[in-house]
Structures are given as structure tokens and as C-alpha cells.
Amino acid sequence: MAVAAVGNLVGVGIERRQGRAVRAFEEACGFADLTPNELCNAVGGDDHRIELTLRALSAAAESRLDQKVRALGRALASGALAEHDAIVERETFVVDALARMEAPHAKVLFIMDQPPIPQENGRVYKSVDLAWTESKLVQRYPQAGDVMASIIATMSGVAVIRPLSSSGSAYQQAAYDISDFGRLVLGRLLEAGLRVDR
């Protein structure tokens, strides 16, 4: 009985994963205004584009965030149609970062794109005032308090946030800022329809 139940669950899971991968591929086709066959031809036999496609579809299959699936499809299309290898590489980095992120990471990234304190015209701010620490993030997103350290570690690992220098006594805790790459990834998610509750 248990074997049959597990088999059913695995079958449902595989079917759902395949459906998300298909949605990402359809998003890529729509974004590039190509048929599936035309997109496959654009990928062609190029190893970098094939690898980008496999990574994007694999990440989409495992995602629970629809906007991430769409963003992955768009990155696939941008890389497949790129004229230069540098763009293919950039899209591969975007796909790899998105693969590690889910809704809580996206929300923290969105929070970190805002200043941690209200901005006033003419006021000169110290860098420590504008830095994000784990405690400041937890204050803004208390539901993620127990896992905030893990969220920060994941985001730092894919370089969407960067640690700020802690030399001297300005930072009492580890401090972080969104990176330029993080803004690129966040922009991709927002373009794909991400809505974040403040």
C-alpha cells in the first residue's frame, strides 16, 4: 500500500515539475516571439546555450514561484538569442542566482533595495545608517526571523547581496547591501510580475 502511495506522489510531483519546465519554455518562446522549434534552432548545438537551457528548465521545474518560472524563461530566451557569448554567460549567472532563490529571498532582496531608514533631503547619512543587518531585516520581515541567517547566506552565496566592510567599529553586526547584480535579478523578477507586500 505504501509503495503505491509513494509511487502516486512521485508521479504527481514529476508531472508538476514537468509542467513548470514547460511553462518556462513557453515563456521563453513568447518573450522571444518564436515557435518552440525556432527557439530550439536558436539554441542549436552551442554547448553554452544548451547548458543555459538545461539549467533554466531544471530551476523552473523545482520552483514554487510563478514569477521565477517566468523570469527563468526570459533569461533562457535572452541567452539563446544572444549575439555574444558574454550575454550568454550573464544569463547563465542570472539563471544560477534565480535557481537558489524563492519567495522569501525575493522579498528580502526587495526590502534591501530600499533604504533602511527614511530619507530626508539635505541630511548626510553615515554608511552604518544605510546598511542592512540581520536584525534590521528581521524587523522589516519578522515572519522570516528564524531563517533570516539562511536567507542572507544564500543571497550572499549567489552575489545578489554583498557584505560591507566591517573594519573599524562602525558595524556592530555583519552588514550587507544589495549588489548591482542583485538589482538586475530583482528587476527580472519585477518584470516577470513579482509583487511584494511591504
Side-chain angles (χ1 to χ4, degrees):
M1 196 70 164
V3 172
V6 169
N8 287 337
L9 286 173
V10 169
V12 169
I14 290 172
E15 186 176 313
R16 290 184 179 178
R17 285 185 173 195
Q18 185 177 25
R20 290 189 292 263
V22 168
R23 285 202 306 276
F25 194 79
E26 289 172 343
E27 179 69 24
C29 292
F31 186 71
D33 196 24
L34 296 174
T35 67
N37 284 339
E38 289 171 336
L39 182 56
C40 286
N41 289 337
V43 171
D46 181 81
D47 286 345
H48 291 140
R49 286 173 174 78
I50 291 171
E51 185 62 27
L52 169 64
T53 301
L54 293 176
R55 289 186 191 190
L57 296 180
S58 176
E62 295 182 6
S63 179
R64 300 178 308 277
L65 183 62
D66 287 340
Q67 295 84 359
K68 173 178 159 179
V69 171
R70 294 186 67 205
L72 286 162
R74 292 175 178 205
L76 190 168
S78 297
L81 299 178
E83 294 182 10
H84 304 289
D85 286 345
I87 296 174
V88 180
E89 292 299 327
R90 181 194 68 199
E91 297 307 314
T92 301
F93 283 121
V94 169
V95 165
D96 288 347
L98 287 170
R100 299 280 309 277
M101 297 172 59
E102 287 297 332
H105 304 93
K107 180 164 183 170
V108 171
L109 195 61
F110 180 83
I111 290 169
M112 291 183 75
D113 195 35
Q114 321 299 318
I117 56 175
Q119 301 292 286
E120 298 174 10
N121 289 335
R123 179 176 171 188
V124 177
Y125 293 89
K126 298 177 184 177
S127 59
V128 68
D129 294 330
L130 300 176
W132 282 103
T133 61
E134 183 178 336
S135 61
K136 285 181 184 178
L137 289 167
V138 170
Q139 286 175 358
R140 193 69 63 91
Y141 187 13
Q143 300 89 335
D146 292 345
V147 295
M148 187 60 73
S150 176
I151 291 171
I152 290 171
T154 297
M155 293 171 64
S156 184
V158 295
V160 294
I161 63 173
R162 59 191 174 98
L164 298 176
S165 173
S166 58
S167 60
S169 59
Y171 299 105
Q172 301 300 315
Q173 300 181 50
Y176 304 89
D177 188 17
I178 186 171
S179 66
D180 290 340
F181 179 60
R183 287 191 175 90
L184 171 65
V185 171
L186 177 61
R188 296 293 184 86
L189 287 167
L190 294 172
E191 289 166 6
L194 180 71
R195 297 288 179 267
V196 181
D197 296 329
R198 293 176 184 266

